[in-house]
Amino acid sequence: MPSRIPEGTPPRVLIRDFLIFQAKTFIDGLKDVVVIPFATILFALDLIFGKGDKRGRTFYALMGACESFDRWMNLYRPASQAGGSAEGLFAGSEPGDGTMMGDIEGLMRRNEPARSAQPSVPAAF
């Protein structure tokens, strides 16, 4: 009789997700190291040299680019669906869904050997 108790996340999936999370937080930190001084420079240039409706344009363009990057990175959202799932972080994404997890999942799934939907069973005569 099959057990109805969830088995949780397999160790290899947990290890994979830990490495993905570490990479994502490293990339996010690297983004911050680059953006903080760059934003300060753009803010100062926009404040000093920006005229009329052009004042702030480059600073806000940088903020928009950072917002798009953060949406793609989707740093914490996949975790809400990962806990206890056999798929881990991939439970909250679809391959190619426009997020970093979707891109990683798409790459990993592309490199897996093709699996048929049903195992081949010899026909009984």
Side-chain angles (χ1 to χ4, degrees), residues 23-118:
K24 287 174 75 170
T25 54
F26 177 78
I27 291 167
D28 189 53
L30 189 61
K31 176 206 63 158
D32 292 341
V33 167
V34 170
V35 167
I36 290 170
F38 197 53
T40 304
I41 292 166
L42 290 179
F43 161 76
L45 290 174
D46 275 350
L47 189 62
I48 295 167
F49 299 110
K51 302 290 183 207
D53 64 343
K54 294 184 183 205
R55 183 175 295 127
R57 184 175 287 176
T58 54
F59 173 70
Y60 291 120
L62 175 66
M63 287 181 67
C66 290
E67 181 180 9
S68 295
F69 181 82
D70 286 344
R71 247 186 269 115
W72 173 76
M73 175 87 63
N74 202 9
L75 189 56
Y76 299 107
R77 187 169 178 267
S80 65
Q81 297 170 346
S85 168
E87 291 191 53
L89 290 175
F90 289 171
S93 66
E94 292 293 325
D97 68 1
T99 64
M100 183 182 203
M101 285 309 304
D103 291 345
I104 291 170
E105 186 174 2
L107 284 171
M108 292 183 79
R109 300 270 191 239
R110 192 175 333 153
N111 293 331
E112 287 181 356
R115 297 182 203 167
S116 61
Q118 297 178 344

Side-chain angles (χ1 to χ4, degrees), residues 11-20 87-90 108:
R12 77 176 165 72
V13 172
L14 191 58
I15 292 167
R16 178 203 67 203
D17 288 353
F18 170 76
L19 294 174
I20 290 171
E87 291 191 53
L89 290 175
F90 289 171
M108 292 183 79

